[in-house]
Amino acid sequence: MSSLRRRYATATAHLQAPFAIVDLTALRDNAADLVRRAGGTPIRVASKSVRCRALLREVLAFPGFSGIMAYTLPEALWLATDPESADIATDILVAYPTVDTDAIARLAATPEAAAKITLMVDSVHHLDLITAAAPDPAAPIRVCLDIDTSWQPLGRAVRIGAYRSPIRTPQQAVALARAIVRRPQLHLDGIMAYEAQIAGVGDAPPGRPLYGAVLRWVQQQSRRELAHRRAAIVNAVQDITELRFVNGGGTGSLHTTSRDPAVTEVAAGSGLYQPRLFDHYRSVNRRPAALFALPVVRRPAPGVATVLGGGYLASGTPDPSRLPQPYLPAGLRFSATEGAGEVQTPLLGAAADTLAVGDLVWMRHAKAGELCEHFTHLHLVEGNRVTATVPTYRGEGKAFL
Ligand SMILES: Cc1ncc(COP(=O)(O)O)c(C=O)c1O
């Protein structure tokens, strides 16, 4: 048995599977690596990739991390106002536009939350929704302008990047910025330009060296184009009003985004848990910190061990990269006809014959925070002990997305 597997088995011998763990030593190591790659630029922790308040607290205590990037306004309101997190949730950027008019009304009616939360906007529709909640001009709602970062080398014919904001040029950004500053109920707080095609696409795809080389070239061109455009947008908007922050980047791009002089802060979350989709980046630390353990419940045939559950697929394009990874013991794979099952998952390979009914198989999720939607608690492992058991968002009765 590998020493890692033995250590996790010893630490969790008292637990009934399925359960999820976070190796705190690995998480801290990953956090230190993110801080090193950010090179002094503060990192806003992406809560969608953590989904556990105790671990958000752990990360925010780390020098180099500052502020939370939330994924919904109800989440941000909860973090900002609940006594369990109000002290750490003092600066929350909601990174995606909201059309939740109830939540906007609650924000407008809660000055202590409005002083901590910034909403994302990319159109006048968003401004209208927010101002309809009649915020008090004495305590305006803070908003952030989202910028399209896609690389479009041939005009509209080719688009490399995610479909996010329609705001792409300095002129468009200035027009929306003017519309914001004209409304006294709103305050233009910052700009966000998240380059998903660089930060979220592994630049070292396994077994595809040629594709990897092309990908890295494309990412480099996109980075250059964005550096010019982001700087032009920031300068143009700053002529209208002073900005508190310019946010960019993600786990996969901290080392390059942080070097862009127009950027004042970067965001990251996935690199803390180090899920499977982040294995194929040249620059990212490869120390898995979040795992889940499934029990072997039967042995249908030689070379096959069936575990309970396992079908925790990740969001995104429906392809095998979204499957979890059978991690320990090494050498297990999914059946081509069954994949990761709803209630049981046969795992194939020579390693299956080393497993008995009741043994554990350790798995990794393809993405980071989505793991927490399947478990109410995370058991925090240090050395060969569980030193704490903490609730996930789901364990606190919260399912924001
Ligand atoms: C706006 C924004 N910033 C940053 C990130 C990076 O997050 P992570 O480091 O978890 O990949 C994301 C991920 O989707 C994002 O949507």
Side-chain angles (χ1 to χ4, degrees), residues 37-325:
R37 289 177 52 228
T41 304
I43 305 173
R44 192 180 279 280
V45 59
S47 64
K48 76 176 178 66
S49 303
V50 178
R51 302 192 199 204
C52 167
R53 290 201 287 184
L55 289 180
L56 287 175
R57 180 176 294 283
E58 171 83 23
V59 171
L60 284 165
F62 233 86
F65 283 87
S66 176
I68 296 174
M69 174 175 277
Y71 55 110
T72 72
L73 179 54
E75 180 211 6
L77 285 165
W78 176 58
L79 292 175
T81 57
D82 188 88
E84 282 294 307
S85 51
D87 62 319
I88 53 161
T90 52
D91 174 6
I92 310 173
L93 173 62
V94 183
Y96 316 90
T98 183
V99 294
D100 182 335
T101 48
D102 289 352
I104 296 171
R106 272 196 288 145
L107 178 68
T110 318
E112 74 266 27
K116 295 173 160 191
I117 295 173
T118 304
L119 300 183
M120 196 58 57
V121 297
D122 66 30
S123 78
V124 172
H125 294 289
H126 298 143
L127 309 187
D128 290 343
L129 277 172
I130 300 167
T131 41
D136 180 354
I141 302 288
R142 307 192 317 198
V143 297
C144 173
L145 247 178
D146 195 359
I147 303 298
D148 172 27
T149 65
S150 65
W151 184 42
Q152 302 185 3
L154 302 174
R156 290 186 177 207
V158 177
R159 176 199 179 89
I160 293 166
Y163 286 103
R164 290 192 177 216
S165 170
I167 306 292
R168 188 169 172 77
T169 64
Q171 295 75 13
Q172 289 170 318
V174 161
L176 192 55
R178 288 217 167 97
I180 294 167
V181 299
R182 270 200 300 271
R183 301 183 190 216
Q185 308 97 321
L186 303 179
H187 170 73
L188 180 52
D189 200 21
I191 286 182
M192 185 183 81
Y194 167 60
E195 55 276 62
Q197 71 277 18
I198 303 169
V201 180
D203 61 356
R208 303 174 73 192
L210 201 64
Y211 173 65
V214 173
L215 192 60
R216 289 193 291 277
W217 180 84
V218 167
Q219 289 179 329
Q220 193 184 21
Q221 303 308 308
S222 172
R223 203 178 294 124
R224 280 192 191 144
E225 186 275 334
L226 180 60
H228 284 119
R229 193 156 51 82
R230 186 156 46 195
I233 289 171
V234 170
N235 284 337
V237 173
Q238 237 148 8
D239 283 344
I240 299 171
T241 185
E242 202 178 324
L243 297 169
R244 184 169 65 96
F245 65 85
V246 177
N247 181 286
T251 291
S253 77
L254 288 193
H255 56 301
T256 53
T257 308
S258 58
R259 278 196 253 125
D260 183 331
V263 169
T264 66
E265 59 170 54
V266 286
S270 299
L272 296 163
Y273 289 172
Q274 191 48 38
R276 181 182 168 204
L277 276 172
F278 283 83
D279 281 349
H280 307 303
Y281 289 73
R282 290 189 308 173
S283 61
V284 176
N285 201 22
R286 298 198 180 95
R287 190 147 178 212
L291 306 176
F292 58 100
L294 302 177
V296 174
V297 286
R298 53 181 156 194
R299 292 288 320 275
V304 187
T306 298
V307 291
L308 184 69
Y312 312 154
L313 271 65
S315 56
T317 49
D319 62 53
S321 72
R322 306 288 144 174
L323 286 166
Q325 176 194 32

